[in-house]
Amino acid sequence: MRTIMMLIAFFLLSTAVAEEYEYWPGARYDASIPSVEDVLGYASGERITWHRDTVRYFEALAAAAPDRVRVYRYGETWEGRELIYVVVSSASNIARLDEIKANMRALRDPASTSRAEADRIIANQPAVTWLSYGVHGNEISSTDAAMMTAYHLLAAGNDPRVDEILENTVVVIDPMQNPDGRDRFIHRYETAKGLLPDSDRISAEQNEPWPSGRTNHYLFDMNRDWFMMTQPETQGRVRAVQEFYPVAFVDAHEMGSNSTYYFAPEAIPYNPHLAADQRASLELFGRTNARWFDEFGIDYFTREVYDAFYPGYGASWPSYFGSIAMTYEQSSSRGLVVRKYDGVEMPYRDTVRGHFVTSLGTAETVANNRRKFLEDFYDYQVSAVEEGRSGNVRSYIIPAQRDQAGANKLAGLLVQQGVEVGRATSSFSACGRSYDAGSYVINLAQPAKRLVRTLLDPDVPLDADFLAEQERRRAKKLPDQIYDVTAWSLPLMMNVETDACGRTVSGDFAAAGPDLVLPGSLAGPTDAAAFLVPWGEAPAIRLLANAHRQGLAVKSTDKAFTHDGTRYPSGTLIFDSADNPADLRDLLAALAEDTGATVTAVSSTWVTDGPNFGSGNVVRMNAPRVAIAWDEPTSQYSAGNTRFVVERQFDYPVTAIRTRQLGSADLRRYQVLILPESYDGYAGTLGDGGAENLRDWVERGGVLITVGNATRFAADPSVDLVSIRREDAYVDAAVTESVPEAADEEDPKATVAGTIIGDDDEYATLTTPAETGPDSVGGVLLKARVDGDHWLGAGVSESLNVLARGSDIFTPARLDAGVNVARFESADDVLASGYLWDDNRQQLAYKPFAVAEPKGNGYVVAFTQDPNVRAYLDGLNVIFMNAIFRGSAHARPVR
Ligand SMILES: [Zn+2]
């Protein structure tokens, strides 16, 4: 009550300087704290602030108020920009920051912190609010809002909320989650600018060139990366956030210019692994934000569009350690000013202000509910442990397995996210099965139980009401409201066998560590005739890539063989001592250590079954020069993420070539060309000449790899680089026949033939748009079966899980044209996880995922879905890298 009275007085008495734009009307700022203008030379919102200037401003704040501000570095981007977070609180809280962090770790761990102890901690513990900005670099306003927020908290002595926020809370500000993307945006915006900032949407400065600033250097959407942590920015954040365990976490974004402002409560569907009180708390923040927006006359909406079903968002991942995580979305000015469709000009500073007001509103909500949020946080851990102890799934077990490197990576990923994982030091039995030493065990009676369930369960169900509504909308040909993929199960995506068990498992377990790759080794006699590396795991691919870069001679078998009683799979690498430098053993031992691969030295090349190393079934591997189509019209995600997988997960360089140059470029230097997915298709950019150029190059021995919808281009009858064809939606003949004949398109008359519509079905058919493709799918995991006899399937698991999105379905190749090396399972078995329209399920059955077709001396390898989405489909790594390394080994260019 006292606060409200003070706030009223604050507004009535305040007499602000009239000319200045007021971020918070009536605020009077302490002159000893530097403003944005003092440090950077322009008022907040007058320019879009660069990364280096943002860092400079926060350092100036820390220099002016070292007792209340600390700046920490938490990582570095691919382009070398530093990632920082800034801690703002009262001097007494800052002085005991380590203790505050230790207290949050104690509240996170109810096994060692009793309720009485928790109560004692909570009595004297500030709650942490985490405000993160600009994960999408072209969503510009939030970073400038971050600076204003910190400034206000330190300098607005007459805002009575400030003292309460600083006393009751610690505010952590991550001002720029994506520096590379933001600076990319600013550079190109500034480059296009003229005499005045242009508000016209058709102006160059309002239209970013490819790739947009949304993504980081490797063109990732980092707001999907939180649980797979493929990017250094995400890795740093996951570490930093777990140092503080904030009770509230905001991820500030921008949306289309014609929108208003969005904040929590979020839209349905809710993830069922969220706790009920987390949902209820969202409303506390929403009401505070709404109160200030009413005060200032700012429009907003809640509960629509933005859901948190997928756990890889900034606005969802922190929920799984007990935080209240939210996305805030400000309509974007896309520059210094934009003209909305209604004619209103929206300047940048208005958008900065939107995020500034909600940032303060968020910190205020935490300050006013400090005790409740801390108690909820502790209760969240207690109930998670209890659910894990009593639920239908009480443990997950990752057995020692064929792809042990995949199992190790999965365990390490979980550990990095705060999951307790045990590694068996001896064999044990559980749920009717025995497990070898080296198996991993995750007992769910632990605080991270809900995270484990949402990441490892084969399926996370969508709410039945939500699904019914989507089917209703689909029947009416309205777009569905599924915002992202509906399947992300890590064991399926990584193709790592994982068992659920209804019991808590006991045995001899050592705590597993956070490493994603365990060192490999080289074993066997020193008088080696050859060294063998079994194929089928990521480390062997990394070893091959590095061996190629070092110029080592390597061969590979297309068929499995037995040597000295050991069975080696097809694809096994063979390094002959005679063909390689004298220090081959040392070179391979170092590569094994770094890559995690297992190398076996053999003193004789004699095999007891399968092809000898000089057989026609053994091919010489050549270090291919690999190119990828870059720039318009490629999808920046597909181009960037594919390049990342090859370059950073497998250490092999890729040359990016702008697509428009592919039409006429001499490609003979390259043995492999990857066409990533495309928004608009390649036909317009490449033209007939481009298709001809690619065909010539393939026929001379090139390997063309089409990714996802790039296969449309290769499969277009006018291009015909691959024999498969894209299908229309299947239509039941009985339904079509009952519908009266539509008008003849050639009919020159102004009117068309009369119809009688007899029932709802006929009406639906007649009103269906001429668009003939299958309905689009948000993202599901489908099972595919692999033909291991083909080199593209060498060492690949017999069964793959493919992330299927969009509407593409292709006919299978006829065997005289090529081989369907991976094809989807039958309609009954095809769906591994997620929500799939029944018509699509029926039509996708038996259709191809990966097709290899010889063409002249080269090959076309067509993937009908993108195997490299978000670089998180590890289970598809081997087949994709086979296309590169084995495709070029089997092609026959003139060398
Ligand atoms: Zn965004």
Side-chain angles (χ1 to χ4, degrees):
M1 192 60 187
R2 183 172 152 270
T3 307
I4 292 169
M5 294 298 288
M6 283 178 66
L7 282 170
I8 290 169
F10 169 63
F11 285 111
L12 292 177
L13 298 176
S14 58
T15 50
V17 186
E19 295 81 17
E20 279 190 16
Y21 182 81
E22 289 190 301
Y23 275 88
W24 198 279
R28 285 194 298 276
Y29 292 109
D30 174 354
S32 72
I33 303 296
S35 67
V36 169
E37 184 154 22
D38 294 337
V39 179
L40 303 181
Y42 55 86
S44 179
E46 284 183 358
R47 296 194 66 167
I48 306 160
T49 304
W50 293 88
H51 169 261
R52 61 164 188 273
D53 290 335
T54 306
V55 174
R56 198 150 62 87
Y57 180 67
F58 281 109
E59 283 171 349
L61 284 184
D67 56 336
R68 289 180 293 157
V69 188
R70 295 267 169 88
V71 178
Y72 296 89
R73 189 174 187 279
Y74 72 82
E76 188 181 302
T77 68
W78 289 112
E79 294 174 15
R81 295 183 177 87
E82 62 180 327
L83 295 154
I84 60 164
Y85 64 80
V86 181
V87 181
V88 181
S89 192
S90 68
S92 61
N93 285 335
I94 292 287
R96 63 178 189 114
L97 212 49
D98 286 341
E99 181 199 326
I100 289 166
K101 290 198 272 186
N103 284 342
M104 288 313 294
R105 286 197 295 278
L107 293 179
R108 166 73 163 154
D109 182 15
S112 52
T113 307
S114 67
R115 186 166 292 276
E117 176 66 7
D119 288 342
R120 195 195 60 74
I121 290 171
I122 289 169
N124 191 33
Q125 168 80 356
V128 180
T129 305
W130 192 290
L131 304 172
S132 46
Y133 301 94
V135 70
H136 296 141
N138 59 359
E139 299 175 2
I140 42 186
S141 58
S142 63
T143 296
D144 286 282
M147 294 191 287
M148 267 309 294
T149 301
Y151 176 60
H152 189 93
L153 287 174
L154 294 165
N158 68 332
D159 181 345
R161 296 176 306 163
V162 163
D163 279 348
E164 293 196 23
I165 290 169
L166 297 186
E167 286 306 318
N168 287 338
T169 76
V170 171
V171 179
V172 183
I173 291 171
D174 180 346
M176 194 183 300
Q177 299 179 76
N178 180 6
D180 291 352
R182 182 179 180 87
D183 277 8
R184 183 189 313 143
F185 175 90
I186 297 174
H187 173 69
R188 286 156 354 154
Y189 178 76
E190 297 281 356
T191 303
K193 235 168 56 177
L195 178 64
L196 296 172
D198 205 315
S199 64
D200 195 341
R201 282 153 188 275
I202 207 169
S203 65
E205 68 211 66
Q206 291 273 339
N207 287 277
E208 290 181 83
W210 191 104
S212 77
R214 177 180 175 89
T215 50
N216 75 342
H217 176 78
Y218 273 103
L219 310 184
F220 277 71
D221 183 341
M222 292 192 289
N223 193 34
R224 303 292 184 278
D225 192 43
W226 278 80
F227 61 78
M228 206 60 183
M229 295 183 287
T230 65
Q231 300 305 297
E233 295 92 337
T234 320
Q235 290 157 11
R237 277 193 277 285
V238 166
R239 268 196 307 273
V241 169
Q242 291 181 109
E243 276 186 43
F244 285 87
Y245 289 121
V247 298
F249 184 101
V250 169
D251 203 28
H253 290 258
E254 285 186 350
M255 56 188 165
S257 304
N258 290 303
S259 301
T260 56
Y261 195 100
Y262 164 88
F263 49 74
E266 64 208 16
I268 57 165
Y270 281 102
N271 188 304
H273 297 295
L274 288 173
D277 63 345
Q278 289 179 295
R279 300 187 193 180
S281 292
L282 292 171
E283 188 156 328
L284 294 171
F285 292 93
R287 284 178 179 276
T288 308
N289 289 334
R291 182 159 55 83
W292 291 117
F293 273 29
D294 284 349
E295 178 76 35
F296 303 139
I298 303 173
D299 278 343
Y300 66 90
F301 68 97
T302 65
R303 299 186 187 84
E304 292 178 274
V305 184
Y306 301 102
D307 70 67
F309 185 68
Y310 173 78
Y313 302 127
S316 52
W317 184 87
S319 304
Y320 298 97
F321 64 72
S323 190
I324 315 297
M326 298 170 284
T327 186
Y328 290 174
E329 301 271 351
Q330 165 69 54
S331 55
S332 181
S333 61
R334 299 278 182 246
L336 287 178
V337 61
V338 69
R339 191 162 61 251
K340 296 188 172 209
Y341 287 143
D342 61 8
V344 172
E345 303 237 325
M346 179 170 67
Y348 181 55
R349 64 192 185 193
D350 282 4
T351 65
V352 174
R353 187 177 179 221
H355 277 322
F356 164 72
V357 171
T358 56
S359 294
L360 290 175
T362 304
E364 176 188 350
T365 307
V366 174
N368 291 342
N369 296 276
R370 181 196 69 83
R371 176 177 287 274
K372 171 190 161 46
F373 287 150
L374 288 170
E375 287 171 353
D376 286 354
F377 182 85
Y378 179 74
D379 289 345
Y380 177 95
Q381 320 305 333
V382 172
S383 61
V385 173
E386 182 47 38
E387 285 177 22
R389 189 176 287 125
S390 59
N392 56 338
V393 178
R394 296 182 194 175
S395 58
Y396 270 108
I397 304 164
I398 308 171
Q401 57 194 281
R402 174 180 174 278
D403 182 4
Q404 187 58 35
N408 296 340
K409 180 175 173 182
L410 175 54
L413 267 176
L414 294 170
V415 171
Q416 289 187 15
Q417 294 172 72
V419 179
E420 295 160 27
V421 180
R423 187 166 203 199
T425 51
S426 57
S427 60
F428 65 98
S429 293
C431 281
R433 185 179 162 179
S434 59
Y435 293 92
D436 291 338
S439 299
Y440 293 101
V441 173
I442 303 134
N443 278 318
L444 293 187
Q446 61 168 299
K449 173 257 170 185
R450 297 181 180 102
L451 178 71
V452 176
R453 289 294 303 269
T454 200
L455 294 184
L456 299 192
D457 277 13
D459 201 54
V460 175
L462 287 154
D463 188 72
D465 291 348
F466 177 80
L467 285 181
E469 171 65 6
Q470 302 320 307
E471 291 290 357
R472 189 189 71 82
R473 294 178 65 89
R474 181 167 165 263
K476 290 191 72 177
K477 296 288 169 188
L478 294 168
D480 69 61
Q481 298 164 313
I482 297 170
Y483 194 83
D484 202 82
V485 297
T486 57
W488 56 76
S489 169
L490 285 178
L492 291 174
M493 295 201 303
M494 300 174 76
N495 219 1
V496 169
E497 185 189 355
T498 304
D499 295 335
C501 177
R503 305 236 176 92
T504 298
V505 179
S506 54
D508 300 325
F509 307 133
D515 292 339
L516 302 185
V517 178
L518 303 183
S521 61
L522 184 150
T526 48
D527 62 334
F531 296 84
L532 306 178
V533 184
W535 195 245
E537 293 183 291
I541 306 173
R542 275 195 295 275
L543 184 139
L544 174 62
N546 282 287
H548 275 330
R549 289 173 65 185
Q550 294 181 17
L552 301 181
V554 54
K555 301 185 295 194
S556 174
T557 174
D558 284 345
K559 291 193 181 333
F561 64 86
T562 303
H563 182 284
D564 198 16
T566 301
R567 189 75 178 160
Y568 288 87
S570 63
T572 293
L573 306 177
I574 303 159
F575 293 86
D576 282 328
S577 293
D579 297 342
N580 278 294
D583 60 348
L584 178 64
R585 187 186 185 91
D586 294 341
L587 293 172
L588 288 176
L591 284 180
E593 165 91 15
D594 289 349
T595 63
T598 304
V599 183
T600 304
V602 294
S603 52
S604 155
T605 59
W606 184 252
V607 301
T608 54
D609 180 54
N612 291 99
F613 301 165
S615 157
N617 285 306
V618 173
V619 290
R620 171 122 188 172
M621 305 291 274
N622 294 288
R625 288 200 194 88
V626 180
I628 189 168
W630 201 248
D631 207 334
E632 300 283 0
T634 71
S635 145
Q636 56 174 323
Y637 300 132
S638 182
N641 298 182
T642 299
R643 189 185 191 186
F644 170 83
V645 167
V646 181
E647 291 201 334
R648 299 295 180 171
Q649 294 191 325
F650 296 110
D651 300 342
Y652 204 71
V654 176
T655 299
I657 300 178
R658 298 196 194 281
T659 313
R660 65 176 179 275
Q661 291 179 277
L662 288 175
S664 55
D666 184 345
L667 294 171
R668 277 175 299 179
R669 265 179 63 78
Y670 297 93
Q671 286 74 52
V672 176
L673 171 64
I674 302 167
L675 285 187
E677 291 211 302
S678 163
Y679 301 119
D680 311 320
Y682 285 96
T685 306
L686 289 174
D688 293 344
E692 216 42 54
N693 195 35
L694 292 184
R695 184 190 328 282
D696 285 351
W697 171 78
V698 171
E699 287 178 348
R700 287 165 192 260
V703 178
L704 178 70
I705 301 173
T706 61
V707 170
N709 67 20
T711 298
R712 293 181 184 186
F713 168 74
D716 189 278
S718 67
V719 174
D720 198 33
L721 277 162
V722 67
S723 71
I724 63 175
R725 293 290 180 263
R726 187 153 63 105
E727 295 187 357
D728 288 334
Y730 172 73
V731 180
D732 188 339
V735 173
T736 354
E737 277 162 22
S738 72
V739 174
E741 195 82 356
D744 180 359
E745 284 175 15
E746 305 282 304
D747 191 343
K749 288 192 302 175
T751 54
V752 299
T755 59
I756 291 174
I757 302 176
D759 60 25
D760 287 353
D761 281 350
E762 290 179 7
Y763 174 74
T765 307
L766 272 176
T767 54
T768 297
E771 178 74 39
T772 53
D775 283 337
S776 186
V777 175
V780 296
L781 288 164
L782 301 184
K783 283 194 186 306
R785 188 179 298 179
V786 175
D787 178 353
D789 285 338
H790 193 275
W791 53 258
L792 184 60
V796 177
S797 167
E798 287 170 24
S799 175
L800 298 177
N801 301 303
V802 175
L803 182 68
R805 301 186 299 177
S807 59
D808 283 6
I809 301 175
F810 287 85
T811 60
R814 293 183 188 277
L815 295 179
D816 53 356
V819 179
N820 304 293
V821 181
R823 56 104 176 141
F824 295 120
E825 294 281 6
S826 70
D828 287 344
D829 294 329
V830 72
L831 182 61
S833 179
Y835 191 74
L836 179 61
W837 314 119
D838 197 55
D839 293 340
N840 296 58
R841 184 174 63 82
Q842 302 282 350
Q843 196 177 337
L844 277 159
Y846 295 98
K847 301 296 163 56
F849 162 60
V851 176
E853 294 195 354
K855 209 155 202 75
N857 291 332
Y859 281 94
V860 177
V861 178
F863 291 97
T864 62
Q865 294 286 338
D866 185 346
N868 302 310
V869 175
R870 299 172 186 170
Y872 71 7
L873 301 170
D874 285 19
L876 303 179
N877 284 160
V878 178
I879 193 167
F880 184 74
M881 296 306 290
N882 275 352
I884 293 177
F885 288 132
R886 295 179 190 283
S888 58
H890 281 81
R892 289 283 171 265
V894 175
R895 297 196 199 270

